[in-house]
Structure formats: C-alpha cells, structure tokens
Amino acid sequence: MQYFETEFIKYINDELFIEEVPLKKLADDYGTPLYIYSRNHFKKQYNDFTSAFKNIKHKIFYAMKANYNLSVINTFVQLGSGVDVNSEGELYRALKTGVEPSNIILTGVGKTKDEIKLGILRDLLLIKAESEEEVELIDKIAGELGRVARVAIRVNPDVDPKTHPYISTGLANSKFGVDTKTAWNLYTRRNEFKNIEFTGIDMHIGSQITSFEPFVEAVTKLAEMYCELKKDGLKLEHFDVGGGIGVKYRDEVPFTIEEYAENLFPCFNKLDCEIFFEPGRYLTANGGILLTEVIYNFSNGDKRFIIVDAAMNDLLRPTIYHAYHHIQPVKRDESRDKTVADIVGPICETGDYFAKDREIYQSKTGELLAIMSSGAYGMVMASNYNGRRRPPEILVDGDRVYVTRSRETFDHLLWDEKIV
Ligand code: LLP
C-alpha cells in the first residue's frame, strides 16, 4: 500500500504528523471528524508560485472559494496575496481579514445587483463581467452611483481543459464567460459605457487541470485579442489567467509550477501588462487533512465496509466528482492483513462514501484514518445534512496548534429557527 506524504505531512516512527504535531494528539484534544491544515505547506506553495514568476510583473489573487477559513486567507494575505471573491459572503470574509479592497477581485457568473453595487462602493480593484447583460448592468449601476467601475471581461477561449466536466469552464458550451466575438464587440463599444473603464482581460478554463497545454492554448488565443485591442487603442492594465492548476491526489503527475511558468512565458512576451493568477487548489489542497475515526468495520456478504465518523456532509468531493482522496491510517502497522473495503460515512445515502473497493490495512473500531488532500474544496463545501455539526478547523504551524474554528454546537444549527 502506498502512503501519501508531503514535506509537511509525513510519518515519523510510523506515526502520522502534520508539521511537528502528531495527528493522534489533535484527535485526542479536539475529537473527530477534524479538519487540520499545515500553514507551512500553504506558505511553500505560495512562495514557489511567486518565485516561478519572479521575472514577470505578476500578482496572485488567492481564490478563497477553495478554503475560506479566515486564518487561511490571512496566511496568504500576509505573504502579499490579493483575494479573488465570488460572492458577497466571500467579500465579507475577505474584508474581515483586513485585505485592502484594492487587492480584491470580484468574480461570479451570477452577480446580483447588490453584489455589483457593493463591489463598486467598496472600490474593489476589479469586477469581472461574464456577459453582455452584466457589462450593461455594471455600467448602469456605476452611473447611478456616480462612479466609474473597473471591469475585465471574462472571455471563454473555447479550449478543452480535459478535467472533470463539473469543473470544466472554458468550453464554448459552458455558462462561464463570453465568447471571443462578443468580448471583442464589448471592448470596442467601450465609448458607449460611460461608467466603465475596461482595465483587463480575464479567463478561467477549469479546475484540476494536469497538463499545461490547455493553458498555453487559451492564453495564446487571448493574448492575440489583447494585441488586437491594443492596436485598436485600448491599453489594458492586466491579463488574468485565472486558476485551475492541478495537484496530485493519487498518481497524477501534474506539471510543476516551474514548467507552468516556462511554458507560459513565451505567451506573455507580447503582453506589456501585469499578469494576474487566481490559484485556489494549488495553494491549499495538499496542506489539509480530514481526520476521522473508524466506528465499525464489518462485512455484508462479500462486501466489507469501514464506517467512519466523517461523512459526505464534511467532504463532498468523492460523492459528487467521484474524486479520489488517499486514505491512510494514522498509525502505520504493516504487520496487519490487508483488506478491500468501501470507506463510508454514517449518512443515510448510498452516495455517502470516501472510497470504494479500496485496499487498506484492516482497521479496528477507534482507529484514526487520515483523508488526505482535503485542504481545498473540503470544509467550504460542508453542510449540516442529517443534523450534523461541521468539524472544527485546526491550523498547525511548526509545533503550534491554533483552533481557527470550533466544532459547531447544536445551538448553532438552530440559532434562528422557530416553531410556528
Ligand atoms: N478563478 C475562478 C474564476 C474560479 O471559478 C475558480 C474555481 C478558481 C479561480 C480557482 O480554481 P483552482 O485553482 O482551485 O482550480 N469544487 C470543485 C472545484 C470547483 C472550482 C470552481 N472554480 C472541486 O472540489 O474540485
């Protein structure tokens, strides 16, 4: 059986540690299920990213939808990151961490009037427009407010990112962004939009993309448009590549950040503007673990089930994308027999599973299992289904342990509910 280890999450004397802290101790102190993050993993990913692009003028806007725990956002902001927000709720969180509005980008395919208004009033660096209607609406709202909104059009370059269909956004049939022809029309009608300043061009072609070719293809297409627009007299201040960089969950071999940079550099040559990136998963996925305890381990006919105390409400990715997450015992003991089992949660749904027919060492009731690569799109997608409280979130930095969010109480779940 393979073990998933990183620089900051690894076995020491057969005990799984996150940085300098044994996971067993965290389970003893805070119970399970439990989200645990490595701050130094986050820092390393951010620093690797900026140093790969150190030769060009660039800025990272952390896509906080991946993990919007305030301390996680703060970790990136302290390193100089801006933030990409997708809703009023994300904007509220971002501002709570003290990010300057001039470091915030407002994204989203269905922004409401109120969200657009808020974006303009808070004077965010940029509002992305994802349709002709939205450009017109932003112009109208900005006019009513007596402001000029900074806008970038999200252009759909129509390339196949070859990822899961649910997280593929750059194909012509997706709801995201406008096609190149419409984008060109909008940019060239710029004098009609008196209350908008077009400051950039934007793309985001999908998520968990493990080869750099789709990025190169998309950036090449939009760089051509950038140059045409420049010839037409519109000088944009930035080119936003979006997020989407894939990470290793199983045996994928995604490109390295250096390879990504090397392959994109030639496309950036023609662009005399700042390059923006919006990574989410790359920065956080492999810095997080969902720690869970085995409740039962039994056979039903030929099938073996390991029932754990985490469930699909805590980590939805396996259920909705059939996503693979490595699952390994916190205590390594290779003298045990191996078994093949479904690792499932206690929720009353067949889809409530973390792994199907997975080879794993026989585990006993009370044993701790680590569900790896849970730092992105984990807690942010958690719910209270089946009346379950969402887990606490712990941030580890060296030997220091911070409870950044406690386990919900049942009163939290009922806080404003009335019997009528
Ligand atoms: N920028 C925009 C406009 C986005 O929509 C996204 C992600 C990102 C940046 C960050 O993408 P990343 O670098 O994390 O790939 N829940 C799914 C992923 C949904 C991604 C949505 N958009 C999952 O668990 O795989």
Side-chain angles (χ1 to χ4, degrees):
M1 199 187 124
Q2 283 185 345
Y3 296 95
F4 193 104
E5 291 180 281
T6 66
E7 185 180 343
F8 298 105
I9 301 176
K10 57 182 172 222
Y11 288 90
I12 302 175
N13 296 330
D14 290 330
E15 272 255 16
L16 191 57
F17 275 66
I18 185 157
E19 303 208 11
E20 293 166 37
V21 181
L23 291 184
K24 166 87 171 71
K25 173 154 182 14
L26 296 175
D28 288 346
D29 291 349
Y30 306 107
T32 53
L34 184 63
Y35 270 106
I36 309 159
Y37 309 127
S38 155
R39 182 171 253 170
N40 284 300
H41 178 87
F42 296 158
K43 286 184 174 174
K44 179 177 187 308
Q45 295 299 101
Y46 184 90
N47 290 332
D48 286 355
F49 201 122
T50 41
S51 54
F53 286 98
K54 65 177 181 300
N55 293 332
I56 59 162
K57 195 167 174 232
H58 75 279
K59 183 153 175 83
I60 295 177
F61 293 85
Y62 168 51
M64 64 180 276
K65 59 171 76 74
N67 185 330
Y68 53 46
N69 179 287
L70 294 181
S71 299
V72 176
I73 300 172
N74 186 47
T75 302
F76 295 118
V77 171
Q78 292 304 319
L79 294 171
S81 184
V83 180
D84 170 59
V85 306
N86 196 62
S87 67
E88 185 176 351
E90 288 195 354
L91 177 58
Y92 181 76
R93 278 177 173 268
L95 293 170
K96 277 258 176 219
T97 63
V99 194
E100 291 297 325
S102 58
N103 272 330
I104 299 178
I105 291 182
L106 179 60
T107 302
V109 69
K111 288 185 250 22
T112 62
K113 283 183 194 149
D114 284 347
E115 284 171 325
I116 294 171
K117 193 169 164 187
L118 196 63
I120 297 172
L121 285 175
R122 298 304 301 235
D123 205 16
L124 303 186
L125 174 67
L126 179 68
I127 300 179
K128 284 188 216 163
E130 302 223 10
S131 64
E132 185 169 350
E133 255 188 304
E134 196 182 6
V135 173
E136 285 163 0
L137 183 62
I138 298 173
D139 185 49
K140 181 164 172 280
I141 296 174
E144 285 163 6
L145 296 171
R147 304 273 187 108
V148 174
R150 281 178 295 274
V151 172
I153 296 179
R154 173 163 173 187
V155 187
N156 184 330
D158 192 16
V159 300
D160 185 357
K162 300 194 175 63
T163 182
H164 190 286
Y166 285 10
I167 50 175
S168 173
T169 54
L171 273 167
N173 62 3
S174 110
K175 70 175 175 180
F176 299 99
V178 302
D179 60 84
T180 43
K181 202 164 146 236
T182 311
W184 175 262
N185 281 335
L186 286 167
Y187 280 119
T188 49
R189 279 172 54 202
R190 57 189 172 276
N191 292 335
E192 284 174 40
F193 306 116
K194 302 277 180 252
N195 313 298
I196 281 182
E197 184 193 353
F198 286 119
T199 56
I201 184 164
D202 176 275
M203 60 175 250
H204 170 76
I205 55 173
S207 197
Q208 185 54 13
I209 301 170
T210 49
S211 69
F212 54 75
E213 287 86 359
F215 289 104
V216 172
E217 193 186 333
V219 174
T220 307
K221 274 193 186 175
L222 295 198
E224 272 167 32
M225 183 184 274
Y226 173 97
C227 295
E228 291 299 314
L229 286 170
K230 200 175 155 196
K231 271 193 226 148
D232 190 57
L234 177 65
K235 170 82 176 75
L236 297 171
E237 293 164 17
H238 75 261
F239 184 106
D240 186 341
V241 181
I245 301 171
V247 301
K248 183 176 160 73
Y249 284 94
R250 188 179 195 170
D251 42 19
E252 307 89 335
V253 189
F255 50 85
T256 65
I257 200 68
E258 292 76 21
E259 284 165 343
Y260 180 69
E262 267 164 38
N263 284 280
L264 285 179
F265 279 144
C267 320
F268 293 150
N269 267 343
K270 297 187 201 138
L271 306 175
D272 49 354
C273 66
E274 190 168 12
I275 309 295
F276 288 178
F277 298 97
E278 301 166 2
R281 190 189 313 266
Y282 174 82
L283 297 179
T284 53
N286 281 322
I289 288 174
L290 175 59
L291 188 60
T292 185
E293 186 178 304
V294 175
I295 311 179
Y296 300 108
N297 178 344
F298 61 85
S299 290
N300 216 347
D302 287 344
K303 187 107 192 158
R304 177 156 289 280
F305 290 97
I306 297 177
I307 302 205
V308 295
D309 64 0
M312 67 189 270
N313 74 296
D314 303 307
L315 178 70
L316 196 53
R317 302 194 70 257
T319 304
I320 63 173
Y321 315 115
H322 305 298
Y324 180 97
H325 284 256
H326 204 74
I327 302 178
Q328 59 199 27
V330 164
K331 179 95 192 121
R332 189 158 61 180
D333 173 7
E334 294 185 341
S335 66
R336 292 186 279 179
D337 290 339
K338 284 185 201 147
T339 183
V340 172
D342 282 9
I343 301 169
V344 301
I347 283 183
C348 52
E349 297 254 1
T350 308
D352 177 25
Y353 75 94
F354 294 111
K356 296 223 166 179
D357 296 322
R358 184 72 63 84
E359 183 176 74
I360 185 162
Y361 285 103
Q362 271 294 11
S363 31
K364 301 177 288 294
T365 299
E367 169 160 15
L368 294 170
L369 297 179
I371 305 178
M372 308 302 285
S373 313
S374 301
Y377 305 108
M379 183 62 173
V380 286
M381 291 171 73
S383 77
N384 297 111
Y385 188 36
N386 270 204
R388 290 168 57 87
R389 296 168 298 161
R390 285 177 299 167
E393 292 176 285
I394 306 288
L395 184 66
V396 173
D397 186 348
D399 61 358
R400 279 165 298 166
V401 173
Y402 301 98
V403 181
T404 65
R405 193 177 192 280
S406 317
R407 192 179 303 283
E408 281 173 330
T409 66
F410 291 115
D411 283 336
H412 283 136
L413 269 59
L414 293 180
W415 78 277
D416 193 32
E417 210 166 316
K418 294 169 191 68
I419 300 175
V420 290

